[in-house]
Amino acid sequence: MKRHWLGFMLSMITPMIILNGHRMPGRWGRTTIPLPPGQHHLHVHLPYVLPSQIGPADLTVWLQPGMALEVEYRAPMWAYSRGALGPAPQPWNGKGCMIALLVVAGGGLALLLVLIVAMALSLG
Protein backbone atom coordinates (compact mmCIF):
# COMPACT_ATOMS: atom_id res chain seq x y z
CA MET A 1 0.00 0.00 0.00
CA LYS A 2 1.45 3.28 -1.10
CA ARG A 3 0.64 6.96 -0.74
CA HIS A 4 2.23 9.87 -2.61
CA TRP A 5 4.55 12.11 -0.60
CA LEU A 6 2.15 15.02 -1.20
CA GLY A 7 -0.44 13.01 0.72
CA PHE A 8 1.64 12.94 3.91
CA MET A 9 -1.53 13.50 5.99
CA LEU A 10 -2.79 10.09 4.82
CA SER A 11 -0.10 8.44 6.95
CA MET A 12 -2.36 9.10 9.96
CA ILE A 13 -5.17 6.99 8.43
CA THR A 14 -5.09 3.19 8.71
CA PRO A 15 -6.06 1.60 5.37
CA MET A 16 -9.02 -0.79 5.50
CA ILE A 17 -8.88 -4.10 3.64
CA ILE A 18 -12.08 -6.03 3.00
CA LEU A 19 -11.38 -9.53 1.74
CA ASN A 20 -14.40 -11.62 0.74
CA GLY A 21 -16.60 -9.39 2.93
CA HIS A 22 -14.37 -9.64 6.03
CA ARG A 23 -12.86 -6.38 7.31
CA MET A 24 -9.26 -6.21 8.45
CA PRO A 25 -7.02 -3.22 9.15
CA GLY A 26 -4.15 -2.80 6.76
CA ARG A 27 -0.99 -0.76 7.04
CA TRP A 28 1.14 1.35 4.76
CA GLY A 29 3.78 -0.77 3.11
CA ARG A 30 3.66 -4.52 2.52
CA THR A 31 0.85 -6.63 3.98
CA THR A 32 0.93 -10.41 3.56
CA ILE A 33 -2.38 -12.27 3.60
CA PRO A 34 -2.28 -16.08 3.21
CA LEU A 35 -5.27 -17.34 1.19
CA PRO A 36 -6.52 -20.71 -0.03
CA PRO A 37 -6.77 -21.35 -3.78
CA GLY A 38 -9.86 -20.01 -5.52
CA GLN A 39 -11.58 -16.72 -6.31
CA HIS A 40 -11.26 -13.85 -3.84
CA HIS A 41 -12.68 -10.31 -3.86
CA LEU A 42 -10.38 -7.62 -2.49
CA HIS A 43 -11.55 -4.10 -1.58
CA VAL A 44 -9.27 -1.40 -0.14
CA HIS A 45 -10.14 2.12 1.02
CA LEU A 46 -9.14 4.73 3.58
CA PRO A 47 -11.84 5.47 6.18
CA TYR A 48 -12.53 9.19 6.54
CA VAL A 49 -15.22 11.68 7.60
CA LEU A 50 -16.32 13.35 4.37
CA PRO A 51 -16.29 11.41 2.10
CA SER A 52 -16.62 8.31 4.27
CA GLN A 53 -14.14 6.44 2.05
CA ILE A 54 -11.10 7.86 0.31
CA GLY A 55 -9.75 6.00 -2.68
CA PRO A 56 -11.95 2.91 -2.86
CA ALA A 57 -10.61 0.21 -5.17
CA ASP A 58 -11.76 -3.34 -5.95
CA LEU A 59 -10.08 -6.36 -7.49
CA THR A 60 -11.14 -9.97 -8.03
CA VAL A 61 -8.26 -12.45 -8.04
CA TRP A 62 -8.00 -16.15 -8.87
CA LEU A 63 -5.35 -18.09 -6.96
CA GLN A 64 -4.01 -21.48 -8.05
CA PRO A 65 -2.57 -23.94 -5.49
CA GLY A 66 0.88 -22.78 -4.35
CA MET A 67 0.51 -19.47 -6.20
CA ALA A 68 1.74 -16.18 -4.73
CA LEU A 69 0.23 -12.99 -6.11
CA GLU A 70 1.48 -9.50 -5.40
CA VAL A 71 -0.85 -6.54 -5.94
CA GLU A 72 -0.31 -2.87 -5.29
CA TYR A 73 -2.75 -0.32 -3.87
CA ARG A 74 -2.03 3.35 -4.45
CA ALA A 75 -4.07 5.92 -2.59
CA PRO A 76 -5.30 8.77 -4.80
CA MET A 77 -3.67 12.17 -4.73
CA TRP A 78 -7.12 13.82 -4.71
CA ALA A 79 -9.53 12.61 -1.98
CA TYR A 80 -12.49 12.35 -4.36
CA SER A 81 -10.67 10.07 -6.82
CA ARG A 82 -10.63 6.28 -6.78
CA GLY A 83 -7.60 4.37 -5.58
CA ALA A 84 -5.66 2.08 -7.91
CA LEU A 85 -5.41 -1.65 -7.17
CA GLY A 86 -3.74 -4.29 -9.33
CA PRO A 87 -0.33 -5.48 -10.53
CA ALA A 88 2.48 -3.00 -9.84
CA PRO A 89 3.06 -0.29 -10.85
CA GLN A 90 -0.34 1.36 -10.48
CA PRO A 91 -1.05 4.99 -11.49
CA TRP A 92 -1.50 7.91 -9.10
CA ASN A 93 -5.20 8.67 -9.60
CA GLY A 94 -6.24 12.28 -9.03
CA LYS A 95 -2.86 13.64 -10.14
CA GLY A 96 -4.44 16.10 -12.60
CA CYS A 97 -6.75 17.55 -9.94
CA MET A 98 -3.86 17.93 -7.51
CA ILE A 99 -1.68 19.66 -10.10
CA ALA A 100 -4.53 22.02 -11.02
CA LEU A 101 -5.10 22.83 -7.34
CA LEU A 102 -1.40 23.54 -6.80
CA VAL A 103 -1.24 25.73 -9.93
CA VAL A 104 -4.29 27.76 -8.85
CA ALA A 105 -2.95 28.14 -5.30
CA GLY A 106 0.53 29.06 -6.58
CA GLY A 107 -0.94 31.55 -9.05
CA GLY A 108 -3.01 33.14 -6.29
CA LEU A 109 0.05 33.50 -4.07
CA ALA A 110 2.08 34.97 -6.94
CA LEU A 111 -0.70 37.49 -7.66
CA LEU A 112 -0.89 38.42 -3.99
CA LEU A 113 2.89 38.94 -3.88
CA VAL A 114 2.75 41.16 -7.00
CA LEU A 115 -0.05 43.24 -5.43
CA ILE A 116 1.91 43.66 -2.18
CA VAL A 117 5.05 44.74 -4.05
CA ALA A 118 3.01 47.15 -6.21
CA MET A 119 1.37 48.67 -3.12
CA ALA A 120 4.74 49.02 -1.37
CA LEU A 121 6.27 50.74 -4.42
CA SER A 122 3.33 53.09 -4.86
CA LEU A 123 3.45 54.16 -1.20
CA GLY A 124 7.22 54.59 -1.16
Side-chain angles (χ1 to χ4, degrees):
M1 293 198 204
K2 296 182 178 181
R3 59 177 172 74
H4 197 274
W5 64 270
L6 286 174
F8 61 91
M9 297 292 285
L10 294 178
S11 65
M12 294 185 282
I13 300 173
T14 302
M16 181 61 64
I17 300 170
I18 301 175
L19 183 63
N20 298 326
H22 300 285
R23 301 172 79 87
M24 62 182 76
R27 62 187 168 117
W28 295 108
R30 185 178 297 268
T31 302
T32 303
I33 305 171
L35 295 171
Q39 179 180 347
H40 301 280
H41 181 77
L42 178 63
H43 171 86
V44 181
H45 71 269
L46 304 173
Y48 201 63
V49 179
L50 241 146
S52 62
Q53 294 182 358
I54 294 176
D58 293 279
L59 181 67
T60 300
V61 296
W62 282 91
L63 295 177
Q64 302 296 326
M67 178 181 177
L69 178 67
E70 188 166 322
V71 295
E72 178 181 76
Y73 171 78
R74 285 198 182 184
M77 294 179 69
W78 177 255
Y80 298 100
S81 297
R82 294 192 59 77
L85 180 62
Q90 288 293 307
W92 293 109
N93 290 340
K95 185 192 294 189
C97 293
M98 183 58 76
I99 290 171
L101 181 66
L102 291 174
V103 165
V104 168
L109 288 174
L111 180 62
L112 183 61
L113 181 62
V114 167
L115 289 174
I116 290 172
V117 169
M119 289 283 282
L121 291 175
S122 68
L123 293 176

